[in-house]
Amino acid sequence: MVQTPITSPAASFSVGGLFRRPEAGAFLGLFGVFVFFLVFGSLEFLKPAGAASWLNVAANLGIVAFPIGLLMIAGELDISIGSMIPAGSMTVAIISGYYGLPIWIGIAASLGLGVFVGLVNGFLVVRTNVPSLIVTLGTLFAVAGLVLGLSVLLTGTTSVALKAPELAKFFFGQFVANTFQVIIFWWLALTALYIYVIHYSPYGNWIFAMGGDRVSARNAGIPTAKLTIALFVLSSTSAAFVGMCQAILFNSAQVSAGMSFIFNSIISVVVGGVLLTGGFGSIVGIFFGTITFAVVNQGIYFTSFDRNWSSLIIGVMLLLAVLMNNTFRSMALSYSPKKK
C-alpha cells in the first residue's frame, strides 16, 4: 500500500516537514509561475481586473478538479465531466428558459441529472470491474449525444437562452464588483469543506487506502464500493453545478461547451501533486495546481508573448510540475522520523 504523508495538525511544522508534504511542489510551482508573469508581464496581472481573469477560471475549474483529484487518489478517473457541464447547463436552460418553469426546478433537475449519471458510472465500475476510464468514456459520448438529441428535439436549436431571477443570480450567476464571478466563493467554501473531510475525517484515510491497495482496504472493513459510487456522484454533480452556474451567469447554454474541462482538470490535479496511480495527493495541492493552471492560461495575455505559444507554456509547465512533484513525493515516501 502506498503510504501517505501525515496531514494531521500534530504533524511537524519544520521546513523539512513542509517540503515533504504533497502540496509542496505545487506551491513552489505556483510561486514560480507568479514570478515569471510578474517579470515578463505587468502589475496589471495582480490588480482586481487582472486577478479576476484567472480567479474566475480557477473557480470554475477547481470545483470540478477536486472530485477528479479524489477519484485519482482512489485509483479511478471520470472523463464524463466533459459532457456533464453542458448537460447541467442545458437542463436548467431548457426547463427554466425554454419552458419557463421556476428556476429552482431547473436547478434541481440539473443537479439531479448529475447524481443520476454519477450513480450509473459508479455502479458500472463497481459491478462490472471495467476500468473507470472506459466506463466514463462511454457515458461521455452517451450524455453528449443525449443532450444534443434532446435539445434539438425539444427546442429545435443547440443554444437556449435563460433569464434567471435576481435571487438565483445572486447565489449562482452574478459578477461581484463587476469582475469576480460569485462561483469563486463557492470554490473557496468547497475548498475548506474538502480539506476538513479529506484530511481531518476518516473518509480521507479511506480514500487514500483505496488508492494504495483496494483489496486490503476492503478487507480492513472500508466500504470501497459505496465510497467509489459516492465519488463518481460527487464528480458528475460538481460538473453539472458548474454548467448550471455558467448558464445562469451568461443567460444562455450551449451543447458544445465543457470538453476542455476534461484535460484541464486532469492537468490541474497532476500539477497539484496527485499521483496518477493513486494513493497520494492533497486538497491543498489540487487548489494550488488549479490556480497555477489558471494563471498560466490567462497570464500570457498580460505579456508581450505571441498568444500562439500559450499551449507550449502550459505543456512545459505540466512537465516541470510533474518532475518537481515526483521529487517531493520521493522525499515524502523515503522520510523516516528520527527517534527521540
Side-chain angles (χ1 to χ4, degrees):
M1 180 182 295
V2 178
Q3 297 179 351
T4 56
I6 297 174
T7 56
S8 67
S12 173
F13 285 94
S14 66
V15 174
L18 290 176
F19 277 110
R20 283 187 292 270
R21 296 178 66 88
E23 60 268 19
F27 175 76
L28 290 181
L30 175 60
F31 178 78
V33 165
F34 264 105
V35 171
F36 177 85
F37 285 109
L38 285 176
V39 171
F40 293 98
S42 66
L43 290 178
E44 296 293 326
F45 176 67
L46 295 179
K47 292 182 178 179
S53 68
W54 47 268
L55 278 175
N56 291 336
V57 172
N60 285 275
L61 181 59
I63 290 177
V64 178
F66 282 136
I68 291 298
L70 295 180
L71 277 168
M72 290 173 63
I73 290 173
E76 306 290 353
L77 185 61
D78 182 6
I79 63 172
S80 67
I81 57 169
S83 293
M84 285 310 305
I85 290 175
S89 180
M90 289 298 293
T91 298
V92 68
I94 291 175
I95 291 177
S96 300
Y98 186 80
Y99 286 104
L101 295 177
I103 189 66
W104 307 111
I105 295 179
I107 291 174
S110 179
L111 297 179
L113 178 62
V115 172
F116 175 75
V117 175
L119 287 173
V120 171
N121 285 334
F123 275 112
L124 287 176
V125 169
V126 169
R127 299 298 182 185
T128 66
N129 291 321
V130 174
S132 56
L133 174 63
I134 304 301
V135 170
T136 57
L137 179 63
T139 52
L140 170 72
F141 286 101
V143 173
L146 183 65
V147 171
L148 176 60
L150 287 179
S151 176
V152 174
L153 178 65
L154 297 175
T155 69
T157 181
T158 58
S159 179
V160 180
L162 170 67
K163 184 172 178 59
E166 289 301 319
L167 185 60
K169 280 278 190 181
F170 177 81
F171 283 109
F172 303 110
Q174 69 164 323
F175 283 101
V176 179
N178 296 321
T179 51
F180 298 94
Q181 295 179 18
V182 71
I183 199 172
I184 293 175
F185 297 100
W186 285 97
W187 173 50
L188 294 176
L190 287 172
T191 299
L193 179 62
Y194 278 121
I195 288 175
Y196 172 76
V197 172
I198 301 305
H199 298 297
Y200 295 92
S201 77
Y203 297 105
N205 292 330
W206 292 356
I207 293 173
F208 282 108
M210 287 169 56
D213 190 328
R214 184 174 294 269
V215 175
S216 296
R218 184 171 60 249
N219 292 337
I222 296 175
T224 56
K226 292 182 180 180
L227 193 55
T228 299
I229 294 173
L231 289 176
F232 277 107
V233 169
L234 182 62
S235 175
S236 293
T237 307
S238 297
F241 176 80
V242 170
M244 177 202 74
C245 290
Q246 290 182 347
I248 294 175
L249 177 68
F250 298 113
N251 301 314
S252 66
Q254 296 181 346
V255 298
S256 59
M259 288 298 176
S260 62
F261 276 78
I262 299 174
F263 294 106
N264 293 350
S265 61
I266 294 175
I267 289 173
S268 299
V269 169
V270 173
V271 169
V274 174
L275 193 62
L276 286 171
T277 53
F280 191 91
S282 74
I283 293 299
V284 177
I286 298 173
F287 179 79
F288 288 151
T290 303
I291 298 178
T292 301
F293 178 86
V295 168
V296 172
N297 191 53
Q298 297 296 311
I300 193 170
Y301 297 104
F302 295 88
T303 68
S304 58
F305 298 147
D306 188 338
R307 305 300 184 263
N308 294 323
W309 294 104
S310 59
S311 294
L312 174 63
I313 295 176
I314 293 175
V316 172
M317 173 204 72
L318 175 61
L319 292 175
L320 291 176
V322 169
L323 292 174
M324 183 179 298
N325 287 328
N326 184 64
T327 300
F328 285 102
R329 183 172 62 251
S330 298
M331 291 173 57
L333 297 179
S334 62
Y335 170 70
S336 58
K338 296 181 181 179
K339 295 182 179 179
K340 294 183 179 181

